[in-house]
Amino acid sequence: MKNSYSNIFTFNKKILSKTIKSLKNGGVIGLPTETVYGLGGNAYSKKAVKKIFKLKGRPKFNPLIIHYYNIKDAQKDVVSNKYFEKLYKSFCPGPITFVLKRKNTSKISHQACANLRTIAVRFPKNKTTRDILRKIDFPLAMPSANKSSGVSPVNSKDVFDEFKKKLKIIIDGGKCKIGIESTVIDLTSDPKILRPGVLDKKVIENSLKIKIKTHRKKNKILSPGMMKKHYSPGIPVMINQKTHDGKSAFIYIGNKYKNKKNFFSLSKKNNLFLAASNLYKIFRIIKKKGYKKIQINKIPNYGAGIAINDRINRASKF
Ligand code: TXA
Ligand code: MG
């Protein structure tokens, strides 16, 4: 398909074989997932992984998530356990990432995992990306397709805005349904949530029939996505704001300020899943409109609201 972006493609057979060829040669591609768009490359290839870190400007100590078609493929690289198998059955393919012990025989690039003895594995749900994963004989290292510490892309054009022509192929998969990154759960010992997502702790607890912890240790970076400053739209973000200052963009949930200039609702119907899915899109709209600051009203802290609060909290650490 032709569009005004010469490197954004609609998925079809021709682009599938072009994508596979590029990935086999160590290329890096912009790919849709159900959460956010990713920058995918062969996780076995030093060259591809190096390229990903360079494109993102990502610190070397921040490991990448490795994406697989199914659990059988992932079990070549990680030590499986009962929690992993249960959560896989309940939620995969889907928006959850599992941190597991690395097998000694694994061929995953050590740089991709920041030289840790663990690997974060995920099974994305998007059909296009699954078609690709099914056809290749290596997994994909795939961080969100944004510059380090910025906002994740939820549209193919957002990926273009981040990397312009530095990517030869960006595959268009429309707007990401979930719109916020996957839940990351450490399963190397007692399950711990490292990064909240729309698949929240309660749902995971119900599936595992145990209580789980949220990582709260202050000084130790267990998951570098837990770095304080992250998800930043590039302008100051103020959270828990009660009143509008008259000039900033004001983000809230509901329809109280319907059609009022400077007010942006994450979900008119107070739906926290929709609110999460609109957060990054609205950050980008506000930035493009030239606002100098974002104020955010208090967001309920349950369900998908926990993930929203995690992201806006970090976005506010400017
Ligand atoms: O939804 C998602 O997970 C998206 C899509 C593209 O799949 N990917 C994504 O990747 O958000 P990234 O690189 O932006 O975030 C990966 C997170 C980071 O917080 C990283 O520190 C953590 O996963 N992570 C990766 N490997 C890890 C490991 N071995 N141990 C602990 N945390 C790990
Ligand atoms: Mg990211």
Side-chain angles (χ1 to χ4, degrees):
M1 192 203 73
K2 281 265 169 277
N3 52 40
S4 50
Y5 300 84
S6 60
N7 55 350
I8 298 183
F9 297 93
T10 302
F11 195 61
N12 57 33
K13 267 197 181 149
K14 205 171 136 205
I15 198 69
L16 175 66
S17 61
K18 237 178 124 171
T19 298
I20 291 175
K21 201 170 150 204
S22 169
L23 290 170
K24 279 187 176 157
N25 288 324
V28 173
I29 310 277
L31 288 172
T33 85
E34 79 280 30
T35 57
V36 299
Y37 275 73
L39 267 189
N42 180 351
Y44 295 152
S45 158
K46 269 191 191 165
K47 176 179 151 191
V49 167
K50 214 173 143 188
K51 226 184 255 177
I52 291 174
F53 275 85
K54 189 161 174 234
L55 275 164
K56 280 187 66 89
R58 183 164 175 127
K60 289 225 162 47
F61 59 79
N62 192 354
L64 308 178
I65 295 175
I66 312 301
H67 295 64
Y68 296 86
Y69 180 67
N70 61 22
I71 195 167
K72 206 171 118 253
D73 291 347
Q75 283 166 336
K76 289 179 195 152
D77 293 315
V78 291
V79 181
S80 197
N81 63 46
K82 61 174 191 224
Y83 292 142
F84 175 41
E85 283 155 30
K86 177 77 181 78
L87 292 174
Y88 178 85
K89 252 196 204 144
S90 307
F91 304 117
C92 293
I96 181 163
T97 295
F98 310 97
V99 174
L100 292 158
K101 288 190 178 130
R102 180 187 179 109
K103 276 190 177 165
N104 288 334
T105 49
S106 167
K107 291 188 293 179
I108 299 293
S109 142
H110 286 278
Q111 168 66 79
C113 308
N115 289 309
L116 296 170
R117 317 260 341 218
T118 55
I119 301 178
V121 305
R122 170 159 135 72
F123 310 89
K125 196 171 186 176
N126 180 281
K127 187 175 177 308
T128 301
T129 297
R130 276 180 69 71
D131 277 355
I132 295 166
L133 285 167
R134 188 159 47 90
K135 290 238 158 66
I136 52 183
D137 54 4
F138 47 85
L140 293 176
M142 188 153 68
S144 52
N146 54 281
K147 300 268 172 58
S148 186
S149 88
V151 173
S152 296
V154 293
N155 267 303
S156 55
K157 291 190 183 81
D158 298 345
V159 182
F160 181 87
D161 284 345
E162 294 281 334
F163 299 107
K164 306 287 187 298
K165 296 285 178 63
K166 284 187 184 154
L167 298 176
K168 292 215 174 64
I169 305 174
I170 300 169
I171 294 180
D172 182 26
K175 180 177 180 280
C176 301
K177 283 209 179 88
I178 290 180
I180 200 165
E181 305 83 355
S182 62
T183 306
V184 178
I185 184 165
D186 182 347
L187 297 177
T188 55
S189 54
D190 289 342
K192 275 192 272 325
I193 306 269
L194 302 182
R195 177 176 72 183
V198 299
L199 239 170
D200 70 88
K201 193 166 102 168
K202 286 231 173 75
V203 177
I204 297 173
E205 284 180 338
N206 286 341
S207 162
L208 295 182
K209 301 192 171 54
I210 54 161
K211 280 265 165 220
I212 53 176
K213 298 177 192 152
T214 302
H215 170 65
R216 291 227 181 278
K217 260 195 206 141
K218 282 254 162 66
N219 299 318
K220 195 175 167 223
I221 295 174
L222 260 192
S223 188
M226 306 264 295
M227 284 182 300
K228 269 203 176 141
K229 189 198 153 200
H230 214 115
Y231 314 112
S232 161
I235 50 176
V237 172
M238 321 282 291
I239 54 174
N240 298 323
Q241 298 286 292
K242 291 202 176 101
T243 49
H244 185 227
D245 65 12
K247 52 182 192 295
S248 301
F250 194 94
I251 294 180
Y252 72 107
I253 295 182
N255 64 357
K256 198 168 153 193
Y257 308 105
K258 206 164 84 183
N259 301 329
K260 262 186 97 175
K261 196 172 168 242
N262 303 328
F263 285 81
F264 298 83
S265 177
L266 291 177
S267 164
K268 295 208 165 75
K269 292 197 166 145
N270 287 301
N271 178 321
L272 288 174
F273 285 100
L274 281 179
S277 80
N278 286 323
L279 179 69
Y280 293 150
K281 189 181 87 179
I282 287 178
F283 270 0
R284 279 182 196 269
I285 291 173
I286 288 171
K287 183 79 195 298
K288 275 198 185 139
K289 284 184 185 272
Y291 284 96
K292 298 281 181 287
K293 199 162 106 185
I294 301 177
Q295 293 184 281
I296 308 183
N297 205 198
K298 203 173 170 64
I299 305 292
N301 202 35
Y302 53 82
I306 296 172
I308 301 176
N309 276 306
D310 171 73
R311 305 308 190 273
I312 61 176
N313 209 338
R314 290 174 209 284
S316 74
K317 303 278 186 309
F318 204 72

